[in-house]
Every structure is written in structure tokens, then in C-alpha cells.
């Protein structure tokens, strides 16, 4: 789990990814959780590792640190592009975001 404890629903680890095809570049996610999200020079948002490495591969995921869970969920809820997806690591079921049940 590393230095920061990862967030979970019912004790399960969560990860987040951004669909850049839907990203509008508003930067709301980077305002809510700059430790997890960052806008790149192309104007789109991407997730980052805990070491601040920008993950630009399509569908790249990063763990959701427990202290940032609320900020990441708020980012997903407020995103005008509905492009932020938070899912359980174990079964890849989306728990927050446009495809959450």
C-alpha cells in the first residue's frame, strides 16, 4: 500500500482513471485533488502516481489515497465531462463516476 493508506469501499482498495476522450479540460479535478490529478500541456487532465509522475497512457489508473477519497469523489461528481471513473481494484466495478450503479 505504500506510505499512504489507500481508500476503499467496504475495506476494498480503489483506483481512479480519466477518459481523456471526454475530458473538457476545465481543471476542476486538479483543483479538488492536485495530488491525484493534473492538467497537461494538451489541456487535458491525467492521473498521477504518488511520486507525482503523470500517467498519460490511455486508461492509466492510480490508487486513491484514503485522505483524498472525498476530494476524488467530489471531482468525479463535479466533472463537466463526466470522465472521471473511480472503481474497486478487486473486480474493476465503478463505484463513483458516470458508469457507477
Amino acid at each position: 500500500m505504500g506510505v499512504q493508506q489507500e481508500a476503499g469501499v467496504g475495506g476494498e482498495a480503489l483506483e481512479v482513471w480519466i477518459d481523456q476522450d471526454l475530458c473538457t479540460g476545465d481543471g476542476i479535478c486538479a483543483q479538488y485533488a492536485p495530488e491525484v490529478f493534473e492538467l497537461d500541456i494538451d489541456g487535458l487532465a491525467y492521473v498521477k502516481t504518488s511520486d507525482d509522475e503523470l500517467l498519460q497512457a490511455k486508461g492509466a489508473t492510480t490508487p486513491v489515497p484514503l485522505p483524498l477519497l472525498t476530494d476524488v469523489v467530489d471531482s468525479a461528481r463535479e466533472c463537466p465531462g463526466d470522465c472521471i471513473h473511480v472503481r474497486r481494484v478487486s473486480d474493476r466495478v465503478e463505484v463513483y463516476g458516470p458508469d457507477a450503479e
Side-chain angles (χ1 to χ4, degrees):
M1 266 195 287
V3 176
Q4 291 184 318
Q5 184 179 3
E6 294 173 11
V9 173
E12 293 194 54
L14 298 178
E15 62 187 4
V16 61
W17 67 281
I18 296 176
D19 183 345
Q20 279 78 27
D21 291 337
L22 299 176
C23 181
T24 59
D26 287 86
I28 291 171
C29 57
Q31 291 174 15
Y32 275 110
E35 303 89 346
V36 177
F37 305 108
E38 183 176 321
L39 292 176
D40 199 16
I41 58 172
D42 63 4
L44 301 178
Y46 294 87
V47 294
K48 303 189 301 187
T49 67
S50 59
D51 296 330
D52 243 13
E53 178 187 347
L54 203 61
L55 302 176
Q56 295 176 300
K58 187 173 183 83
T61 64
T62 197
V64 177
L66 183 57
L68 300 176
L69 177 60
T70 300
D71 294 334
V72 170
V73 170
D74 287 346
S75 296
R77 289 183 175 149
E78 299 296 324
C79 177
D82 281 334
C83 66
I84 300 172
H85 303 266
V86 181
R87 64 187 179 201
R88 288 189 300 255
V89 172
S90 62
D91 58 9
R92 301 174 60 102
V93 170
E94 188 162 320
V95 292
Y96 303 106
D99 298 332
E101 296 179 5

